[in-house]
């Protein structure tokens, strides 16, 4: 468990020492004048006043002056690097806002008992808001105990199935990203679309979002094929597109997957001039600009202008580059600090203030809908000659 608070202070180790003063009674022969009274006996020593021992309480010391907020992230295991980056981001936000209103305590969701044990401990120690966890399955595990304690959960997941019932999602939604880039493509005159969709739950949600977005924009999805991790699977999916007159094709996977697929597409008659579209997953790839095969590709993302400033400040303080997703931790603290102005001490977090209110931060404007998913103001970016260029700026509001 790690601590972060509004003021940076070195750790203190409290020690209690009992000083005992010994009283020596000196007996001496006192001789008075002849015929006088005998010397008076020495006064008995005073007994020191007994003081009751102060009660010792388990867990964290009480902090009634600040709001207690828990950060649930993996601090060990496979995702420890990302968890530490999120933790660092929350500390940086506390320092940047110079707030004394909240106190953040970190709990390891990869430790014994997982996210549920971390949440139970956080709630038992008096935290009234949970930032995290990172994964959707962890958010689902935490939800019942948090809901029972009336502690809202601001998860970093983007899996909409984990939202609701006191769980709010800060993650970048694939559906929103796909809708934004499809609308932009349609605005440039593209009407015929195709899709290469990964197998699995993410692919199922991406395909549904793609079909809805194209239909809503007034275009047509002419073909959509799945691929998986088996050798040759992507080539087989692309081969099925032969003869399909698509103008743009969504590759609903990582930028690395697109890097493998695009050369094959360019060799196929229908894919020579097609516009390549990506998803929000491309935003987390720091090397995307250096992939020349992706030149001309479009994808929708949270704005990167403020993030670049944040990344410089993060590197200066922590000596390493941040994970792209760490901005979610920073923005979660900004949101909490803002609501803390109207959050009375020693009361439940005012969850009603989360819904239908505009927030902002490193990743631009966002607001939570009634479904608990953060709707974001996204921009459309293009990979162009080793750089990422904004071709359609994000709106000022997430409405």
């Amino acid at each position: 468990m790690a601590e972060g608070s509004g003021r940076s202070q070195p750790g203190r180790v409290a020690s209690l020492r009992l000083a005992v003063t010994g009283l020596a009674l000196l007996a001496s022969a006192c001789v008075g004048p002849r015929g006088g009274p005998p010397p008076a006996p020495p006064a008995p020593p005073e007994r020191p006043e007994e003081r009751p021992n102060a009660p010792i309480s388990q867990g964290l010391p009480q902090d009634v002056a600040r709001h207690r907020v828990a950060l649930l992230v993996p601090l060990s295991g496979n995702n420890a690097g990302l968890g530490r980056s999120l933790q660092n981001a929350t500390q940086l936000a506390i320092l940047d806002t110079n707030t004394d209103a909240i106190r953040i305590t970190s709990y390891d969701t990869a430790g014994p008992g997982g996210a549920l044990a971390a949440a139970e401990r956080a709630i038992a120690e008096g935290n009234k808001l949970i930032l995290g966890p990172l994964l959707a399955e962890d958010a689902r595990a935490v939800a019942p105990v948090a809901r029972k304690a009336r502690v809202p959960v601001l998860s970093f997941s983007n899996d909409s199935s984990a939202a609701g019932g006191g769980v709010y999602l800060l993650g970048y939604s694939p559906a929103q990203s796909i809708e934004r880039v499809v609308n932009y493509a349609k605005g440039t005159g593209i009407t015929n679309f195709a899709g290469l969709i990964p197998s699995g739950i993410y692919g199922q949600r991406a395909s549904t979002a793609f079909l809805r977005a194209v239909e809503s924009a007034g275009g047509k999805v002419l073909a959509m094929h799945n691929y998986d991790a088996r050798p040759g699977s992507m080539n087989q999916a692309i081969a099925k597109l032969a003869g399909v007159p698509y103008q743009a094709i969504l590759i609903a996977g990582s930028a690395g997957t697109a890097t493998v697929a695009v050369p094959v597409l360019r060799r196929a008659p229908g894919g020579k001039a097609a516009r390549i579209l990506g998803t929000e997953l491309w935003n987390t790839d720091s090397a995307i600009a250096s992939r020349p095969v992706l030149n001309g590709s479009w994808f929708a993302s949270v704005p990167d202008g403020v993030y670049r400033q944040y990344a410089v400040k993060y590197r200066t303080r922590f000596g390493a580059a941040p994970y792209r997703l760490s901005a979610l931790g920073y923005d979660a603290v900004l949101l909490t600090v803002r609501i803390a102005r109207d959050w009375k001490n020693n009361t439940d977090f005012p969850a009603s203030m989360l819904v239908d209110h505009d927030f902002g931060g490193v990743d631009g404007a966002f607001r939570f809908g009634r479904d608990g998913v953060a709707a974001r103001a996204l921009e459309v970016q293009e990979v162009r000659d080793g750089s990422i260029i904004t071709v359609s700026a994000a709106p000022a509001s997430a409405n």
Side-chain angles (χ1 to χ4, degrees), residues 91-118:
Q91 294 177 4
L92 187 60
I94 289 288
L95 294 172
D96 285 351
T97 56
N98 193 31
T99 182
D100 285 326
I102 64 175
R103 171 179 179 171
I104 297 179
T105 307
S106 298
Y107 300 83
D108 185 9
T109 57
L116 177 58

Side-chain angles (χ1 to χ4, degrees), residues 15 20 26 188 213 217 392:
S15 60
V20 179
L26 302 178
T188 66
S392 178

Side-chain angles (χ1 to χ4, degrees), residues 8-382:
S8 177
Q9 298 182 2
R12 297 180 178 176
V13 179
S15 60
L16 180 64
R17 296 174 178 169
L18 178 63
V20 179
T21 303
L23 299 178
L25 300 179
L26 302 178
S28 58
C30 297
V31 180
R34 290 181 184 270
E46 294 184 1
R47 293 176 60 85
E49 181 182 354
E50 294 186 3
R51 297 179 180 178
N53 292 329
I56 298 175
S57 59
Q58 294 184 352
L60 294 176
Q62 297 299 308
D63 191 344
V64 296
R66 290 176 290 181
H67 297 297
R68 296 292 307 279
V69 177
L71 175 67
L72 268 61
V73 288
L75 299 175
S76 58
N78 294 335
N79 291 318
L82 177 52
R84 292 289 181 189
S85 195
L86 283 160
Q87 182 185 47
N88 290 343
T90 62
Q91 294 177 4
L92 187 60
I94 289 288
L95 294 172
D96 285 351
T97 56
N98 193 31
T99 182
D100 285 326
I102 64 175
R103 171 179 179 171
I104 297 179
T105 307
S106 298
Y107 300 83
D108 185 9
T109 57
L116 177 58
E120 289 175 337
R121 183 178 179 190
I123 292 168
E125 292 180 346
N127 292 280
K128 298 298 185 180
L129 175 67
I130 291 175
L131 308 183
L134 174 64
L135 304 177
E137 55 264 35
D138 287 344
R140 282 189 282 267
V142 163
V145 65
R147 184 164 52 249
K148 183 178 180 180
R150 300 188 303 277
V151 175
V153 175
L154 301 186
S155 172
F156 304 127
S157 170
N158 67 352
D159 185 342
S160 59
S161 69
V167 176
Y168 302 82
L169 302 187
L170 283 161
Y172 316 133
S173 166
Q176 294 174 30
S177 172
I178 291 170
E179 180 182 16
R180 178 73 167 94
V181 75
V182 164
N183 285 339
Y184 177 76
K186 181 62 169 56
T188 66
I190 292 173
T191 57
N192 294 333
F193 295 82
L196 292 171
I197 311 295
S199 299
I201 294 176
Y202 179 88
Q204 293 171 11
R205 292 180 179 140
S207 63
T208 299
F210 184 45
L211 289 169
R212 288 176 178 172
V214 173
E215 180 181 2
S216 177
K220 296 180 180 179
V221 176
L222 303 181
M224 193 164 57
H225 298 290
N226 293 100
Y227 65 88
D228 54 36
R230 293 175 300 174
S233 178
M234 176 65 79
N235 288 4
Q236 293 171 13
I238 293 173
K240 294 176 182 178
L241 295 171
V244 178
Y246 58 91
Q247 299 164 285
I249 183 166
L250 174 72
I251 304 177
S254 67
T257 298
T259 302
V260 175
V262 170
V264 182
L265 282 168
R266 296 305 187 208
R267 291 194 295 268
K272 290 186 183 297
R275 182 72 66 171
I276 307 299
L277 309 180
T279 71
E280 88 293 343
L281 295 176
W282 290 26
N283 178 259
T284 61
D285 188 339
S286 60
I288 188 173
S290 62
R291 302 177 189 270
V293 297
L294 298 183
N295 273 348
S297 299
W298 293 335
F299 64 100
S301 168
V302 292
D304 281 333
V306 178
Y307 175 80
R308 285 189 282 268
Q309 301 173 35
Y310 157 80
V312 170
K313 182 176 289 189
Y314 182 105
R315 183 187 289 274
T316 299
R317 180 160 191 86
F318 300 107
Y323 281 73
R324 183 62 182 84
L325 288 176
S326 69
L328 296 176
Y330 190 99
D331 287 356
V333 172
L334 296 189
L335 177 157
T336 306
V337 170
R338 175 179 166 181
I339 291 181
R341 301 168 189 167
D342 302 306
W343 179 12
K344 294 182 180 179
N345 282 346
N346 303 312
T347 64
D348 291 340
F349 181 83
S352 61
M353 298 186 66
L354 289 172
V355 179
D356 294 335
H357 287 78
D358 288 327
F359 299 100
V362 172
D363 285 333
F366 67 96
R367 63 163 42 203
F368 292 108
R370 298 287 174 178
D371 60 357
V373 177
R376 293 187 172 275
L378 303 179
E379 67 181 21
V380 178
Q381 300 177 352
E382 179 180 321

